[in-house]
Amino acid sequence: KKNRAQAGGGGVSLSTNDFPPPITSSSSNKKNVKQKVITGQKAPSQQALSNVLQFPPPTSNTDINEGKATKEQIKAALGPTKFKRLKNLTKDFAADEIAPEAYVDQAAALFDTGFADSDFWSFVPALISSCPNESSSQLAIRYMEQVRATTAS
């Protein structure tokens, strides 16, 4: 049995076959549609979801403890006053407020025998590498390599 409707008085009759069937969807899709309607926000696409940066794994306690040990070793080698100067100097270098060569020279001056001090060579390269300003850090390391080459010959 077909439902027929008269459109206006023009004699056109319509049946349920003249309309597409209702869209059926899975329950998860219904939840997504419901969430979109409730929040008024468009859900992110799969492409957008797959383009999310992954957080790095948390650092292990051994990494943190090694950093503390190194800090204590530097403090023991320099003493508290020179350690504080090195800390402030490194902070300025990391913020690009001091030239790489000046940082290396001033850091060396804090050690008892300057560039000849083995503690300088064991601690300062790691400090430089830990700074976020990569280009300045690379320049400082290159400068240190030049200094080492000239002092060794």
Side-chain angles (χ1 to χ4, degrees):
K1 180 176 179 180
K2 292 183 180 178
N3 293 333
R4 299 220 175 248
Q6 274 312 81
V12 177
S13 69
L14 300 173
S15 74
T16 54
N17 292 335
D18 295 327
F19 298 98
I23 299 172
T24 58
S25 61
S26 66
S27 63
S28 66
N29 193 23
K30 286 180 185 178
K31 288 179 186 175
N32 287 341
V33 170
K34 183 177 181 181
Q35 188 65 26
K36 285 180 196 176
V37 171
I38 290 172
T39 62
Q41 296 177 345
K42 184 177 177 183
S45 68
Q46 280 299 91
Q47 182 181 11
L49 290 174
S50 67
N51 193 21
V52 175
L53 292 175
Q54 299 298 317
F55 284 101
T59 58
S60 67
N61 285 337
T62 57
D63 290 343
I64 293 168
N65 291 335
E66 286 173 10
K68 287 180 182 176
T70 304
K71 177 182 170 185
E72 292 305 316
Q73 290 170 339
I74 297 171
K75 195 181 276 188
L78 291 176
T81 304
K82 288 182 179 179
F83 174 79
K84 188 172 183 177
R85 278 195 239 153
L86 180 63
K87 183 179 174 183
N88 289 332
L89 191 62
T90 305
K91 182 180 171 185
D92 291 344
F93 171 69
D96 279 327
E97 294 175 4
I98 185 171
E101 296 84 0
Y103 171 76
V104 172
D105 291 339
Q106 291 178 37
L110 297 174
F111 289 84
D112 289 337
T113 55
F115 289 116
D117 199 312
S118 62
D119 286 337
F120 170 80
W121 294 102
S122 36
F123 298 132
V124 175
L127 283 175
I128 291 171
S129 297
S130 71
C131 292
N133 50 343
E134 287 182 40
S135 62
S136 294
S137 295
Q138 290 171 354
L139 289 171
I141 294 293
R142 276 192 228 119
Y143 178 68
M144 286 183 71
E145 290 168 355
Q146 291 170 352
V147 168
R148 181 177 260 174
T150 57
T151 57
S153 25

